[in-house]
Amino acid sequence: MCISLDTLNEIELSLAEFRKLTQNPLVMLKGCFPELSFVHMSASDIPETPFRSLPDYNLYLLDGREHCVQLTSDPAHATGIVVAHR
């Protein structure tokens, strides 16, 4: 599965709106984007450069096409997203 740049932009806008809410961002994201997989972590747990850096979150792309899941910077290989709270 490929995650389009349009979808990534929509996710970014959704997270900007989330700042006004008090819920877990994964509940909102999974509701808006049910076809995608999301993981919530602390940004301090991921030493790699994020795909996108937002005011409250870093976004990392997951590539789960092989046996082991790994981070990728290529949306064409992304199968999920890590939302890392800063």
Side-chain angles (χ1 to χ4, degrees), residues 14-78:
S14 296
L15 284 170
E17 285 298 313
F18 168 75
R19 293 175 67 191
K20 301 173 187 173
L21 304 175
T22 59
Q23 302 174 320
N24 179 336
L26 292 192
V27 173
M28 179 268 303
L29 290 171
K30 288 179 179 183
C32 294
F33 307 94
E35 71 283 3
L36 297 177
S37 297
F38 292 93
V39 176
H40 188 224
M41 297 179 70
S42 172
S44 63
D45 291 333
I46 306 174
E48 286 83 3
T49 302
F51 178 76
R52 290 205 178 151
S53 186
L54 311 175
D56 294 322
Y57 301 97
N58 287 336
L59 299 181
Y60 300 85
L61 302 179
L62 291 175
D63 180 353
R65 298 173 302 148
E66 300 296 325
H67 178 69
C68 295
V69 175
Q70 61 187 352
L71 295 177
T72 181
S73 60
D74 187 350
H77 294 153

